[in-house]
Amino acid sequence: MALEESISEEAAEELARNETPARRSGLSEFWYYFSENRGAVAGLVVFALLVLVAILAPLLAPHDPNIQFDNAQLLPPAWTSGGEWRFFLGTDAVGRDIFSRLIYGSRFSLFIGIVVVAIALLGGVTVGLIAGYVRGWLDTLIMRIMDVILAFPSLLLALVLVAVLGPGLVNAMIAIAIVLQPHFVRLTRAAVIGEIDREYVISARVAGASPFYLMTRTLLPNCLGPVIVQAALSFSNAILDAAALGFLGMGAQPPTPEWGTMLAESREFILKAWWAVTFPGLAILVTVLAINLMGDGLRDALDPKLKRS
Amino acid sequence: MSEHVLEARDLARFYETSSGAFAKPATVRALDGASFDLEAGRTLAIVGESGCGKSTLARVLTMIEPPSRGELTIDGRTVSGKADPKLRQAIQIVFQNPFGSLNPRQKIGAILEEPLKLNTDVKARERKRRGLAMLERVGLRAEHYERYPHMFSGGQRQRIAIARALMLQPRVLVLDEPVSALDVSIQAQVLNILNDLQEEFGLAYVFISHDLSVVRHIADEILIMYLGRVVEHGSAKEVFAHPTHPYTAALLSATPVADPTREKNRIPLTGELPSPLDPPPGCPFNPRCWKAQADCTRAFPPDTGEAGHFAACYHPLAENETTA
């Protein structure tokens, strides 16, 4: 009919040739949006430096973090009167070099962040996928449990869990992971519910995909955007919570050079030796700030609703 | 007569809706009693306006949803609740929206190979060979195999979706408005490919559309639906030449014809499409029908007309009445 006359085979082929793929590929598009956010790039740089410091700690640290120097207790930083250049940021109450302890402490902070986020992510995404896919009473049950966990102040719940499990860095990490997990469950579930009725999911079902295949291969890759952002922000939360637990004596135990524990050890000298609390505090602040900035940039780059184009 | 690859008998699909804790749950009869046969190599067009149950029928046919009533036989196998991989492979679907039907995180190659991976033991190399062959068959090039869906235009994506649906070599392909999201020029291109593929593989098409000019171009048989009911069914030629159900006549008179010298005798319809929650008694078309009489509100009319072309109407149009 009219359709046949309006366009011949050749013209159709010509049209097909002129349809050009014009959009950026995934990674370069990600970098394009990420690099527009200067704070995010700064955060990434600081975070990369931190990772380098943690890896190269034995090379960078001037002293062993646990060696106590005689007659060098509570020395002020090098540039103030009474300071010594071999202890750049001063020493603590038992004569350990604060600079070296901070460098080694970055290892603990990163380790805590990675392990906590890995546990929370794995558990949260699995539970969230199941809840969003299955729905019904199982979904209701899971979400009510998550609501209960969220209803507690996170640090209080972590404290209770550590009190049950016993103090120590590993138990503190498990407790923090449990506290952070509901966020991942809710995010994943919401993303799954948003995607599950899309045509490509139905198309996979018509092609014969099993529920397990649908959840892990079809749905999961399309739900990861917000989860990655949450993981980045949880990373800083984990470091902060671990430092808080360390400060309260429930996390890493002395003489571990963990930043929160260092704060706790120096608390009684806060008026006499400001440097012993200031530098660990600053380290926590800079790390958390950098990771949060990076997380914001990630969200901007991965959230399609914010994209301008 | 060749074999029937698709047999539907009295298919129905109802949805329960609850409008609050205290309200009585209502039933939407999205599809109510559709019966038809389809032979290999032929195209059955399902036509009707929005909300008439076309897409519900597509979902029931492709076993995305179970029918509430009726029986469905695909390629000699009766559809039951149990999963049957052979049955699964016999019927595939192409969706309306080519921007939603391809997984944005998969490369075109993975999209094409997925049905084979899920249903067969074909080796990776052979899968890739078949995927590439199918890609070329729908007019795309081998270099497109490693790209992602967002790099393609709507027409190209729709061709990829068609290629994916054909990877399992189905007997029946359900096309749920496959061209209505595309430009007219691209529509022709996709329709031509569909025509070629049908000849090559002996496919049976269930072509769902509301665009009558496309249907006229591609259909062998037509099923007209209104509010979940089949109101007219016959060969495309017959239905277009002599519609017997008043609704069909009104629908046909509303299609634009590219001929300025032809006189227009459009049948205007009054009123709105009734809510499927509360369909009118008897023939669902009776509130809007200009031929409606008292008996039209009594019960759903039985099929009238000779074999091969019938309408569900108490007062079908005579041949001389229809000039469409």
Side-chain angles (χ1 to χ4, degrees), chain B residues 101-163:
Chain B
S101 58
L102 304 178
N103 188 339
R105 304 270 167 189
Q106 276 182 322
K107 287 178 179 168
I108 302 307
I111 289 173
L112 292 180
E113 288 177 26
E114 191 175 66
L116 288 178
K117 209 164 139 188
L118 289 168
N119 291 288
T120 64
D121 315 320
V122 178
K123 295 276 178 296
R125 178 180 283 181
E126 170 67 8
R127 280 205 305 263
K128 182 160 188 187
R129 194 191 63 74
R130 287 197 208 171
L132 281 170
M134 192 57 82
L135 196 64
E136 270 168 41
R137 192 62 206 75
V138 296
L140 292 164
R141 292 187 300 272
E143 72 228 44
H144 293 141
Y145 208 66
E146 297 296 320
R147 293 191 188 161
Y148 285 95
H150 73 258
M151 299 166 164
F152 294 90
S153 68
Q156 287 174 318
R157 287 188 200 207
Q158 198 60 298
R159 284 185 279 157
I160 294 164
I162 292 168

Side-chain angles (χ1 to χ4, degrees), chain B residues 177-224:
Chain B
E177 309 222 17
V179 296
S180 43
L182 308 175
D183 284 350
V184 176
S185 56
I186 309 293
Q187 284 189 4
Q189 180 197 337
V190 171
L191 290 175
N192 285 336
I193 287 174
L194 284 173
N195 258 336
D196 297 347
L197 291 170
Q198 182 167 44
E199 276 175 33
E200 189 175 333
F201 298 110
L203 289 166
Y205 287 160
V206 177
F207 191 96
I208 293 170
S209 182
H210 58 245
D211 185 343
L212 284 167
S213 46
V214 170
V215 167
R216 207 188 277 253
H217 176 70
I218 199 164
D220 299 310
E221 276 180 70
I222 291 191
L223 203 76
I224 309 275

Side-chain angles (χ1 to χ4, degrees), chain B residues 232 243-254 265 267 290 317 322 324:
Chain B
E232 186 159 358
T244 51
H245 196 283
Y247 176 67
T248 314
L251 201 64
L252 292 182
S253 77
N265 32 19
I267 305 166
W290 69 98
L317 301 170
T322 54

Side-chain angles (χ1 to χ4, degrees), chain A:
Chain A
M1 302 283 336
L3 270 172
E4 287 169 297
E5 288 149 22
S6 69
I7 189 149
S8 64
E9 294 261 339
E10 293 93 71
E13 273 170 32
E14 182 62 40
L15 269 165
R17 233 172 284 129
N18 287 342
E19 294 165 16
T20 47
R23 289 188 57 200
R24 273 175 266 264
S25 75
L27 203 66
S28 68
E29 182 183 294
F30 168 78
W31 180 248
Y32 173 79
Y33 286 107
F34 187 81
S35 60
E36 271 202 347
N37 186 338
R38 284 196 195 166
V41 176
L44 183 69
V45 169
V46 173
F47 184 69
L49 281 176
L50 195 76
V51 172
L52 269 181
V53 166
I55 293 169
L56 302 175
L59 298 174
L60 292 174
H63 305 289
D64 186 295
N66 290 326
I67 281 187
Q68 303 177 4
F69 292 92
D70 291 336
N71 304 320
Q73 285 88 356
L74 288 179
L75 282 179
W79 60 88
T80 57
S81 65
E84 283 182 36
W85 277 106
R86 61 182 181 131
F87 304 120
F88 180 58
L89 295 180
T91 57
D92 65 8
V94 288
R96 292 173 298 197
D97 179 36
I98 290 179
F99 185 54
S100 305
R101 286 178 72 74
L102 285 182
I103 288 175
Y104 274 93
S106 65
R107 290 187 150 185
F108 287 96
S109 288
L110 289 180
F111 177 68
I112 290 164
I114 290 167
V115 172
V116 167
V117 167
I119 297 173
L121 189 78
L122 214 70
V125 166
T126 310
V127 175
L129 261 179
I130 293 170
Y133 185 85
V134 178
R135 304 302 298 273
W137 65 266
L138 186 66
D139 177 37
T140 312
L141 180 73
I142 290 172
M143 293 323 287
R144 291 302 81 78
I145 293 173
M146 295 305 144
D147 285 347
V148 169
I149 297 178
L150 281 173
F152 286 101
S154 65
L155 198 61
L156 190 68
L157 184 58
L159 265 175
V160 170
L161 286 168
V162 171
V164 173
L165 297 168
L169 191 57
V170 174
N171 287 344
M173 289 194 293
I174 294 172
I176 296 165
I178 291 173
V179 169
L180 291 179
Q181 170 160 301
H183 299 283
F184 289 96
V185 175
R186 292 176 65 141
L187 261 180
T188 312
R189 172 180 173 271
V192 167
I193 290 171
E195 293 289 320
I196 200 163
D197 284 327
R198 297 273 305 274
E199 282 166 335
Y200 72 87
V201 183
I202 298 171
S203 160
R205 264 170 68 194
V206 175
S210 64
F212 182 74
Y213 185 95
L214 274 181
M215 279 194 262
T216 55
R217 304 291 184 82
T218 310
L219 285 167
L220 185 59
N222 286 292
C223 297
L224 275 184
V227 176
I228 290 172
V229 175
Q230 180 65 32
L233 297 174
S234 296
F235 198 100
S236 62
N237 254 337
I239 292 174
L240 209 55
D241 283 357
L245 284 180
F247 181 75
L248 294 172
M250 296 297 212
Q253 297 300 306
T256 317
E258 199 269 324
W259 295 341
T261 313
M262 285 170 73
L263 276 179
E265 285 169 12
S266 317
R267 200 183 55 229
E268 43 194 297
F269 310 106
I270 191 162
L271 294 175
K272 218 165 81 186
W274 57 268
W275 55 90
V277 284
T278 306
F279 295 117
L282 270 179
I284 296 170
L285 174 78
V286 169
T287 308
V288 169
L289 190 65
I291 296 171
N292 276 343
L293 283 172
M294 201 174 70
D296 282 348
L298 272 181
R299 189 185 52 214
D300 290 356
L302 293 176
D303 190 343
K305 279 180 215 114
L306 292 172
K307 275 182 192 167
R308 299 131 287 180
S309 65

